[in-house]
Amino acid sequence: MSVNLRMQRRYYLVCAHNVAQKRLSLPSCVSLLFTPVKGFDPAASLLGSKTPAPNMSPRVAVVTGGNKGIGLAIVRALCKQFQGDIYLTARDVGRGQEAVQSLSSEGLKAMFHQLDINDVNSIKTAAAYFKEKYGGVDVLINNAGIAFKNEDTAPFAVQAEVTLKTNFFATRDMLTHFLPLIKAGGRVVNVSSLLGSMTLKKCSPALQQRFRSEDITEDELVGLMQRFVDEAKKGNHKEDGWPETAYGVSKTGLTTLSMIQARHLSKERPNDGILLNACCPGWVRTDMAGPKAPKTPDEGATTPVYLALLPPGATEPHGKLVSEKEVQPW
């Protein structure tokens, strides 16, 4: 049997299967079969081949803070499970490239792009790169974050300003510039913490009401986060209804921001099937959490990767806080 005849027979069989499964209409199938495109195999397309059609970019996943800890473990897991290009990003080029090389020694392929979430110009440069090269982003995992050690002697006012600058305000900058790039069917995961919900319970009733309200706006949330920093600088944060934890407040803000932006996506792009969630990786043995934590980084990556790889057509979870692959109360 000639090559052309074998290919034609393959097209017929695949088309018949897709029509039977109601994945494709008969007219569309006929059009596909009799409209040849150089270098494009319609049967491979229908079968879900990893080879993209001409003029179509491969899928791409972007992980911030990916050079160590949970971020590196997330990249490692995506290299094994995600069908597309995976970008490990980090503010330090040397450390980022070393992390990519370490994955390569494991037989895993990741790419690197410099990205410092505390630098808006760095965010804009990265966003422009992914828009130009891929036409957008399929998976975004905002993992980059910081935490002061318990024994750190820095004044609480400093801890409040520095922690919220990265964990809330810089992550918000990431979302501001990258959310418009998220493709239909995309997944956005903000690595937050159950400490955020624990902190919420320690806030004043008035603050709890606003954080839990479905009509809180992003601008109002930004104002609340700035208010915490300002009151911490004055030493009045407790009197203003805030608990004594900068990290906890930063994660309360990030989880609330995730809920706000998920509602916005549902309203502005209702047919695009984008899912955005916050998650808690758990207490993980990293430079940030220390050696006594019970989870390995690979175990900590489980829930973020689960959310990043929610299957096509999934509608939930969306706008939730997820831990151990389960939606948590807020």
Side-chain angles (χ1 to χ4, degrees), residues 16-32:
H17 174 73
N18 278 271
V19 170
Q21 296 295 318
K22 297 183 179 180
R23 293 174 183 163
L24 196 66
S25 68
L26 185 58
S28 297
C29 197
V30 171
S31 175
L32 178 63

Side-chain angles (χ1 to χ4, degrees), residues 125-140:
T125 298
Y129 171 82
F130 289 110
K131 182 177 181 180
E132 172 67 22
K133 185 172 178 65
Y134 295 94
V137 172
D138 297 280
V139 171
L140 172 65

Side-chain angles (χ1 to χ4, degrees), residues 67-85:
N67 63 290
K68 63 179 181 178
I70 297 170
L72 180 57
I74 289 171
V75 174
R76 179 182 292 110
L78 289 176
C79 285
K80 298 174 182 177
Q81 300 177 55
F82 179 74
Q83 301 298 310
D85 292 346

Side-chain angles (χ1 to χ4, degrees), residues 66 75 114 120 125 134 138 171 191 209 235 257 270 277 285 304 309 313:
V75 174
Q114 193 277 340
V120 174
T125 298
Y134 295 94
D138 297 280
T171 303
V191 179
Q209 191 276 330
L257 179 64
N277 291 284
R285 290 191 295 278
L309 300 180

Side-chain angles (χ1 to χ4, degrees), residues 126-131 135-138 175-184 269:
Y129 171 82
F130 289 110
K131 182 177 181 180
V137 172
D138 297 280
L175 291 162
T176 297
H177 292 283
F178 271 78
L179 270 188
L181 302 182
I182 302 299
K183 298 178 184 178
R269 300 177 64 180

Side-chain angles (χ1 to χ4, degrees), residues 183-187 269-275 313-314:
K183 298 178 184 178
R187 305 288 182 253
R269 300 177 64 180
N271 300 317
D272 281 357
I274 298 170
L275 298 179

Side-chain angles (χ1 to χ4, degrees), residues 21 49 97 144 248-249 264 267 277 325:
Q21 296 295 318
S49 170
Q97 291 176 338
V249 170
H264 178 77
K267 180 180 179 181
N277 291 284
K325 299 185 182 179

